[in-house]
């Protein structure tokens, strides 16, 4: 019921805009920034943001944005970021995580990494074949990956896509080697025809374990 109630909050269009904005940023968001993004007053933004925090959809931190300390430095600002907690529900109730954990455990014990990666690569190729347009460059790859829930973001150098969300996050935390290898193979299959791109392992805190970047021949 808590998951249902939390997701129901997003039916409010203002809360949905605020949540989507905060979730899309690579930094913590202040109330002023959130209010400006939604085109509403700061007090109203604060009300809705705190509702999202109470529901576990956002998390908060407090710090002085000026970077100063001591008397005269001002009050700490309340900052928001997307919560790492997962929310999901099904009617009637279904439990797919337990069998996924069990299958992953068996695959690890039987050392089926190679077979799993081959299956993932085939799945990526099949998904690529059904895509509406060819993948040619980072913009096309970004659209394709966004549709699959990876939340791709261009890095500072504009030559790679960092994936802000791992669709297999819960499973990868318990079986990182197995699941990250599967994820890389899936993306390799998905981008197989994109000669200008390559997927490689590059785990970073808070990000997916794989990065998609311009191949060395195209990076320049």
């Amino acid at each position: 019921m808590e998951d249902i109630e939390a997701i129901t909050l997003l039916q409010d269009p203002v809360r949905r805009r605020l949540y989507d904005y905060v979730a899309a940023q690579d930094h913590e968001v202040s109330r002023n920034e959130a209010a400006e993004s939604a085109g509403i007053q700061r007090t109203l933004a604060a009300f809705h943001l705190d509702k999202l925090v109470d529901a576990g959809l956002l998390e908060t931190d407090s710090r002085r944005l000026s970077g100063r300390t001591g008397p005269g430095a001002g009050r700490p600002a309340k900052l928001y970021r997307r919560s790492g907690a997962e929310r999901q529900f099904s009617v009637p109730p279904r439990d797919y995580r337990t069998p996924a954990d069990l299958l992953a455990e068996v695959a690890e014990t039987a050392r089926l990494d190679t077979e799993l990666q081959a299956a993932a690569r085939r799945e990526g190729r099949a998904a690529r074949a059904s895509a509406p347009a060819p993948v040619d460059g980072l913009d096309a790859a970004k659209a394709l990956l966004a549709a699959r829930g990876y939340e791709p973001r261009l890095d500072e150098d504009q030559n790679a896509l960092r994936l802000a969300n791992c669709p297999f996050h819960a499973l990868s935390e318990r079986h990182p080697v197995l699941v990250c290898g599967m994820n890389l193979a899936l993306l390799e299959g998905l981008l197989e025809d994109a000669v200008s791109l390559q997927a490689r392992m590059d785990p970073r805190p808070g990000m997916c374990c794989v990065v998609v970047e311009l191949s060395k021949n195209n990076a320049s």
Side-chain angles (χ1 to χ4, degrees):
M1 289 301 297
E2 289 182 358
D3 286 354
I4 295 175
E5 292 170 359
I7 295 173
T8 298
L9 285 177
L10 297 176
Q11 288 186 318
D12 182 283
V14 174
R15 287 177 190 158
R16 182 57 185 266
R17 289 202 305 272
L18 289 168
Y19 175 81
D20 287 345
Y21 180 79
V22 173
Q25 306 312 305
D26 59 1
H27 60 274
E28 294 177 319
V29 175
S30 69
R31 287 173 169 176
N32 287 338
E33 182 182 347
E36 184 177 351
S37 74
I40 58 177
Q41 293 183 343
R42 181 182 182 278
T43 53
L44 182 59
F47 170 79
H48 287 302
L49 288 167
D50 287 339
K51 284 289 185 182
L52 294 170
V53 171
D54 292 341
L57 295 170
L58 297 180
E59 297 176 349
T60 62
D61 194 6
S62 295
R63 70 169 182 270
R64 292 183 175 91
L65 298 180
S66 65
R68 296 182 297 167
T69 60
R75 297 177 58 186
K78 196 170 188 178
L79 304 174
Y80 299 83
R81 62 181 178 273
R82 181 173 58 182
S83 169
E86 293 185 14
R87 298 289 184 177
Q88 58 183 347
F89 69 92
S90 64
V91 180
R94 296 286 189 260
D95 177 15
Y96 299 107
R97 184 170 295 176
T98 297
D101 274 329
L102 293 173
L103 290 168
E105 183 178 343
V106 170
E108 283 183 331
T109 303
R111 299 182 178 180
L112 297 176
D113 304 60
T114 301
E115 291 81 358
L116 177 60
Q117 291 169 19
R121 199 169 283 108
R122 289 194 297 270
E123 172 64 20
R125 290 169 183 157
R128 171 67 193 86
S130 63
V135 178
D136 183 18
L138 290 174
D139 288 341
K142 185 176 182 181
L144 183 62
L145 295 170
R148 298 187 67 87
Y150 283 97
E151 297 185 9
R153 298 172 182 170
L154 277 171
D155 70 355
E156 295 179 356
D157 296 329
Q158 304 290 300
N159 61 7
L161 293 171
R162 297 286 170 184
L163 310 180
N165 181 57
C166 173
F168 321 111
H169 175 70
L171 198 59
S172 68
E173 286 194 317
R174 289 182 283 274
H175 310 277
V177 175
L178 183 76
V179 176
C180 287
M182 177 201 74
N183 188 31
L184 175 61
L186 178 68
L187 292 179
E188 286 175 340
L190 195 66
L191 301 172
E192 189 173 66
D193 296 333
V195 295
S196 64
L197 302 174
Q198 62 182 11
R200 64 177 178 86
M201 202 75 76
D202 187 20
R204 297 191 179 189
M207 306 292 282
C208 176
C209 57
V210 178
V211 64
V212 175
E213 61 189 5
L214 293 173
S215 61
K216 293 183 178 180
N217 293 334
N218 291 273
S220 59

